[in-house]
Amino acid sequence: MLEIRILEMPWIVSDDSLQLKITRDEAGNYIAEIHVHLLNPEMAIKTEENLRVFVREVFA
């Protein structure tokens, strides 16, 4: 679900470079490590904000 949301963002380059790793910590919280290629570096902040909103809406 998270991978689909990432690929829906038009500023993310959708190639084989997308890496998504999800783990859990000792408290049971999920940790997502995401590596993507963006059209420009400024989009990193926009991507992070967009994903935080998505996670809050879907998983909270």
Side-chain angles (χ1 to χ4, degrees):
M1 192 191 286
L2 190 56
E3 182 176 356
I4 292 169
R5 179 65 186 135
I6 292 167
L7 292 173
E8 288 175 345
M9 296 180 207
W11 56 87
I12 291 185
V13 178
S14 59
D15 59 10
D16 292 335
S17 65
L18 173 63
Q19 296 177 10
L20 177 61
K21 179 181 175 186
I22 299 175
T23 57
R24 293 180 82 173
D25 64 12
E26 298 82 27
N29 299 311
Y30 288 98
I31 300 168
E33 186 175 323
I34 303 165
H35 295 267
V36 295
H37 284 153
L38 303 169
L39 295 176
N40 63 54
E42 293 80 29
M43 291 295 142
I45 294 170
K46 185 175 181 176
T47 302
E48 181 179 354
E49 291 171 355
N50 192 301
L51 289 175
R52 286 183 187 274
V53 169
F54 174 75
V55 168
R56 268 194 307 269
E57 290 175 352
V58 174
F59 299 106

